[in-house]
Amino acid sequence: MTSNDGRFHGWAATAADAPLLVALEKSAFGPRAWPQGAIAHSVAAPHVFVFLAGLAMPIGAETPPPTGFAVWRRIGDEGEILSFGVAPPGRQQGLGRFMLTGIENTARTKGLCRMVLDVDSENRAALALYRGAGYHEVARRKHYYKDGSDALVMARAL
């Protein structure tokens, strides 16, 4: 999948991409990153989808490694975003919005009616992305993260 303006390219990850996902998760989340085993499991789990994205390059040019990723799953008629991040080199360029739109479009084609996610209540960039895409807070999980910070549960009808 390529963005309308040709700046970004996204694709489904495979089990062979697990080491890359581990590195991206660590780059995006530092000590909050998922453990390697959880990432490897998610790539192979049924009803779980892993999306990678990065800058698109002209035909014939070497494609740079991805800087963004999304892990989400289907639960009944809903999609749940389990992990979503952009490594620092890819931030503030629209890659997060491209990825979010991509997984929402895929979810719609699978007949899903809503997307839900948890996000750190202090992550201003992520909150701006999700709110700008039409997500709204439906609950708060107190002390959800290891450091004691809260998570907001956000949702959007598709």
Side-chain angles (χ1 to χ4, degrees):
M1 170 176 115
T2 302
S3 61
N4 290 341
D5 61 8
R7 292 186 314 144
F8 306 116
H9 177 68
W11 60 96
T14 67
D17 294 315
L20 176 60
L21 281 164
V22 169
L24 284 170
E25 179 89 15
K26 283 182 182 175
S27 180
F29 297 119
R32 284 191 177 170
W34 281 10
Q36 183 174 351
I39 292 170
H41 174 74
S42 69
V43 175
H47 307 292
V48 174
F49 308 92
V50 182
F51 185 73
L52 296 171
L55 293 174
M57 298 302 289
I59 295 174
E62 185 174 325
T63 302
T67 55
F69 65 95
V71 180
W72 65 282
R73 67 180 169 179
R74 178 185 187 143
I75 303 174
D77 63 353
E78 290 187 342
E80 178 185 21
I81 297 173
L82 302 170
S83 187
F84 185 100
V86 177
R91 292 181 181 161
Q92 300 298 315
Q93 299 178 47
L95 184 60
R97 181 66 178 166
F98 166 73
M99 293 190 320
L100 190 57
T101 299
I103 62 175
E104 289 171 348
N105 288 340
T106 300
R108 276 187 205 92
T109 66
K110 295 182 178 305
L112 305 186
C113 65
R114 185 169 97 137
M115 293 297 290
V116 297
L117 58 93
D118 293 334
V119 61
D120 185 335
S121 63
E122 301 299 317
N123 187 336
R124 290 189 176 120
L127 290 168
L129 170 68
Y130 298 134
R131 287 179 176 141
Y135 286 77
H136 60 280
E137 182 179 340
V138 295
R140 178 180 286 261
R141 299 181 197 274
K142 294 281 191 180
H143 312 292
Y144 182 76
Y145 297 104
K146 289 180 186 177
D147 66 3
S149 60
D150 295 351
L152 300 180
V153 180
M154 300 184 82
R156 176 183 190 267
L158 294 177

